[in-house]
Amino acid sequence: FLHGEAVAWGMLAATRIADATGMLDPADADAIRDAILRYGPLPAAHDLDPGALLARLSGDKKTIHGQVHFVLPARIGDAKVVTGIDPKLVRRAIENTLREQA
């Protein structure tokens, strides 16, 4: 993926996590997803392994002392850094994001 494409995929998953935790209003989640997808189609990602993506988070630049720090939207124009998200929820968000955009 190009950098922007990878960022867009990550933003879609982050929006799904924020929505699933109740941190983000569902209407705002829909608006964020719509805005991302209006830039154009994302390259196919249905062949990516959600487990491998989840494992890669441990090496992400936002992971500090083994704690994954997620940048999640709280509302349009406002994001928060959040830790302690259940890995099962993260995996589900990855799976659903990849499936939804397939």
Side-chain angles (χ1 to χ4, degrees), residues 22-58:
M23 179 177 168
L24 179 65
D25 182 89
D28 281 350
D30 289 342
I32 292 169
R33 279 192 289 274
D34 289 345
I36 293 166
L37 296 174
R38 284 179 193 242
Y39 277 93
L42 292 174
H46 59 273
D47 59 338
L48 295 179
D49 176 10
L53 293 173
L54 186 61
R56 295 272 322 246
L57 287 175
S58 65

Side-chain angles (χ1 to χ4, degrees), residues 14-93:
T15 298
R16 188 173 295 278
I17 292 168
D19 188 15
T21 61
M23 179 177 168
L24 179 65
D25 182 89
D28 281 350
D30 289 342
I32 292 169
R33 279 192 289 274
D34 289 345
I36 293 166
L37 296 174
R38 284 179 193 242
Y39 277 93
L42 292 174
H46 59 273
D47 59 338
L48 295 179
D49 176 10
L53 293 173
L54 186 61
R56 295 272 322 246
L57 287 175
S58 65
D60 187 84
K61 65 184 175 190
K62 292 178 293 300
T63 298
I64 302 168
H65 302 296
Q67 279 272 54
V68 179
H69 294 72
F70 292 93
V71 178
L72 302 178
R75 64 180 187 274
I76 294 175
D78 183 27
K80 305 285 185 212
V81 177
V82 180
T83 58
I85 302 291
D86 183 345
K88 290 177 186 174
L89 189 151
V90 176
R91 184 184 178 106
R92 215 170 25 252

